[in-house]
């Protein structure tokens, strides 16, 4: 067995705790606190000398199990769970940065991450410079003496740009930067940024890791020393993941590989359908040969993921008309669900941006994002085809 197949098996079989009932399915530990045997045990537990759970804001067996599984899949030394993906992103930055530090980030980042960089961190004198990921030669000139973190998502949302992780991993090392990758769109099944030089990998577990649209969650994984700082920040500020959500997510990981393969099978067929449809312009899917970074995608990803972006004719109006014709697929703002979700960024997540700002992040007014689900592909295509054919702009 190679390492990846061993890790897939371990992710299914890992069970860190068992009660005296010897249950087969992993137990759920819904408890706020844990009992001490005596005063010495209590002292040692608070001093973190004995690896004991004390209080579920700090640690809980279900959270530890989720971390253990994801560490195996990502090839990470350590990890810590959070109530949401944004909790993981905010806490990681807040733990690792000091006032006056500087962040270098790819321009296309998740909306709330953009708000952190532009509205929240400046309050603490932390500035962010965006770089154009299609022009990495210009990166050198953007590094300042106080630059501490290099941050990217790949594939990006919703433009599906692929960013060269190996190149950036080397760049970060040579400039002594902490390299953080939001790996939410790929999951560790399709891409393992730590192998390419990432120091920290972040997930919104809300998306494909749960994969069924039920719970929110986040995780940061990576270097032991950095995760320790992130843990201490989280333990004292409180963005902890509930044990129930950790238990759900831990069970979800057991089906990650099989779900992702079906998501990718469906997405490949739908991307080919879009590529050949007369009403569709500019289909973007990382594993479509027409994708501008197809070779890079093939190099750093196992498959193309479940997100497709495409352009309908007629701009904002065309996009809205298409959305209004959809019958089966869901119109909602989540992604990575078992149900196919259609969204129109220009009239939802990115509606507050000006047309010019949207252009800069590669989001045109007619852009549609599809999070391809696990329904039968014929039914997904039938719904989308009838919606495209009823658009008249
Ligand atoms: C959804 C998402 C987040 C935020 O995660 P939440 O769980 O909603 O807080 C961060 N990054 C990416 C790429 C996402 O898609």
């Amino acid at each position: 067995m190679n390492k990846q197949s061993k890790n897939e098996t371990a992710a299914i079989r890992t069970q860190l705790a068992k009660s005296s009932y010897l249950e087969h399915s992993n137990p759920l530990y819904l408890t706020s606190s844990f009992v001490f045997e005596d005063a010495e045990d209590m002292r040692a537990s608070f001093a973190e000398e004995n690896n004991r759970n004390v209080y579920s804001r700090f640690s809980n067996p279900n959270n530890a199990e989720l971390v253990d599984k994801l560490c195996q899949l990502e090839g990470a030394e350590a990890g810590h769970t959070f109530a949401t993906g944004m909790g993981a992103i905010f806490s990681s930055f807040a733990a690792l940065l000091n006032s006056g530090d500087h962040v270098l980030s790819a321009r296309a980042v998740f909306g709330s991450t953009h708000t952190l960089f532009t509205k929240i961190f400046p309050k603490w004198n932390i500035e962010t410079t965006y770089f154009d990921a299609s022009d990495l030669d210009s990166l050198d000139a953007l590094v300042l003496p106080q630059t501490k973190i290099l941050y990217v998502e790949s594939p990006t949302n919703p433009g599906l740009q692929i960013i060269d992780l190996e190149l950036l991993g080397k760049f970060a090392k040579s400039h002594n930067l902490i390299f953080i990758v939001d790996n939410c769109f790929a999951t560790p099944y399709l891409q393992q940024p730590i192998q390419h030089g990432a120091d920290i990998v972040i997930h919104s577990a809300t998306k494909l890791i749960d994969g069924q649209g039920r719970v929110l969650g986040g995780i940061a994984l990576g270097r032991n020393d950095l995760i320790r700082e992130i843990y201490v920040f989280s333990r004292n500020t409180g963005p902890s993941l509930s044990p129930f959500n950790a238990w759900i997510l831990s069970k979800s990981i057991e089906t990650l590989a099989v779900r992702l393969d079906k998501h990718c099978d469906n997405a490949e067929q739908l991307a080919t359908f879009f590529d050949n449809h007369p009403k569709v312009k500019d289909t973007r899917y990382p594993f479509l040969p027409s994708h501008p970074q197809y070779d890079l995608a093939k190099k750093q990803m196992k498959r193309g993921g479940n997100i497709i972006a495409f352009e309908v004719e007629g701009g904002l109006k065309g996009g809205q008309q298409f959305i209004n014709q959809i019958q089966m697929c869901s119109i909602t703002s989540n992604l990575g669900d078992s149900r196919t979700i259609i969204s129109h960024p220009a009239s939802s997540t990115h509606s507050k941006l000006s047309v010019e700002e949207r252009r800069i992040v590669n989001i045109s007014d007619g852009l549609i994002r599809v999070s391809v689900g696990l329904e039968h592909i014929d039914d997904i295509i039938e719904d989308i085809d009838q919606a495209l054919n009823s658009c008249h702009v």
Side-chain angles (χ1 to χ4, degrees):
M1 273 200 296
N2 65 26
K3 192 157 176 292
Q4 168 109 16
S5 61
K6 270 217 160 76
N7 289 346
E8 273 171 33
T9 298
I12 292 171
R13 299 219 57 106
T14 293
Q15 181 164 352
L16 294 190
K18 237 186 214 341
S19 80
S20 57
Y21 292 110
L22 300 182
E23 62 283 336
H24 184 223
S25 182
N26 301 18
L28 166 58
Y29 293 92
L30 274 184
T31 180
S32 323
S33 69
F34 299 83
V35 177
F36 306 111
E37 287 177 22
D38 52 30
E40 170 49 23
D41 184 31
M42 181 153 76
R43 186 205 60 77
S45 302
F46 269 92
E48 296 183 71
E49 288 169 7
N50 59 7
N51 233 350
R52 281 278 311 272
N53 293 296
V54 171
Y55 186 55
S56 286
R57 168 152 52 77
F58 310 165
S59 67
N60 174 285
N62 292 112
N63 293 52
E65 190 169 271
L66 176 60
V67 167
D68 189 273
K69 289 181 171 187
L70 280 165
C71 278
Q72 298 189 62
L73 292 177
E74 288 283 8
E77 290 173 3
H80 190 67
T81 51
F82 295 89
T84 64
M86 285 322 299
I89 294 171
F90 173 74
S91 302
S92 298
F93 279 93
L96 300 174
L97 293 173
N98 290 312
S99 174
D101 284 343
H102 174 247
V103 175
L104 203 48
S105 169
R107 188 176 292 278
V109 290
F110 185 69
S112 294
T113 308
H114 172 70
T115 304
L116 276 186
F117 291 157
T118 54
K119 302 258 162 43
I120 298 180
F121 289 149
K123 295 201 294 185
W124 300 309
N125 193 26
I126 292 166
E127 297 297 334
T128 299
T129 304
Y130 284 130
F131 64 89
D132 176 357
S134 61
D135 177 20
L136 295 180
D137 292 338
S138 63
L139 209 55
D140 252 322
L142 302 177
V143 179
L144 304 172
Q146 64 272 33
T147 307
K148 192 148 181 210
I149 288 176
L150 178 67
Y151 185 78
V152 301
E153 293 173 16
S154 184
T156 63
N157 176 25
L160 294 169
Q161 188 181 22
I162 305 295
I163 300 184
D164 192 330
L165 298 178
E166 194 179 326
L167 203 117
L168 286 182
K170 289 191 179 127
F171 181 88
K173 200 141 270 136
S174 69
H175 289 81
N176 203 20
L177 307 176
I178 300 169
F179 183 28
I180 304 184
V181 178
D182 181 334
N183 199 26
C184 173
F185 270 39
T187 81
Y189 181 64
L190 302 179
Q191 168 174 288
Q192 293 148 343
I194 290 172
Q195 285 188 359
H196 303 295
D199 298 296
I200 301 275
V201 168
I202 288 179
H203 284 284
S204 166
T206 312
K207 312 294 169 52
L208 287 158
I209 288 180
D210 174 40
Q212 289 142 90
R214 300 168 297 183
V215 298
L216 302 174
I219 188 148
L221 301 146
R223 260 169 54 190
N224 234 332
D225 57 328
L226 302 175
I227 294 296
R228 173 71 199 169
E229 287 183 56
I230 294 167
Y231 163 71
V232 171
F233 179 88
S234 168
R235 164 181 168 129
N236 292 292
T237 54
S240 320
L241 180 68
S242 89
F244 180 75
N245 285 7
W247 176 78
I248 294 264
L249 293 167
S250 195
K251 294 302 285 178
S252 292
I253 287 182
E254 296 179 14
T255 58
L256 184 69
V258 68
R259 283 188 284 109
L260 261 291
D261 271 330
K262 173 75 171 172
H263 276 300
C264 292
D265 288 347
N266 278 355
E268 281 165 15
Q269 286 194 56
L270 187 62
T272 306
F273 161 83
F274 284 136
D275 220 21
N276 295 318
H277 199 287
K279 291 213 170 179
V280 169
K281 302 182 287 187
D282 190 21
T283 308
R284 279 177 239 168
Y285 182 68
F287 269 39
L288 211 54
S290 59
H291 190 287
Q293 294 142 313
Y294 174 68
D295 292 335
L296 177 59
K298 283 260 175 177
K299 186 181 140 219
Q300 68 187 30
M301 296 176 74
K302 181 175 176 170
R303 300 189 68 181
N306 84 316
I307 310 291
I308 305 173
F310 69 95
E311 189 76 34
V312 287
E313 281 177 20
L316 201 61
K317 250 206 146 93
Q320 287 163 348
Q321 243 186 43
F322 172 75
I323 291 282
N324 289 338
Q325 298 299 334
I326 287 291
Q327 287 174 8
M328 178 192 81
C329 299
S330 312
I331 315 297
T332 176
S333 60
N334 197 12
L335 62 91
D337 195 303
S338 48
R339 300 174 174 187
T340 297
I341 293 169
I342 314 262
S343 70
H344 181 215
S347 54
S348 59
T349 45
H350 294 73
S351 60
K352 291 201 197 95
L353 272 62
S354 68
V355 174
E356 176 57 19
E357 284 174 316
R358 282 201 291 266
R359 195 193 57 75
I360 290 173
V361 288
N362 223 354
I363 296 167
S364 54
D365 285 355
L367 187 80
I368 301 287
R369 184 187 75 189
V370 185
S371 166
V372 185
L374 303 178
E375 304 95 335
H376 197 290
I377 186 60
D378 293 351
D379 295 317
I380 301 173
I381 289 179
E382 187 180 300
D383 188 26
I384 289 176
D385 190 36
Q386 66 76 27
L388 282 169
N389 294 333
S390 2
C391 284
H392 300 286
V393 277

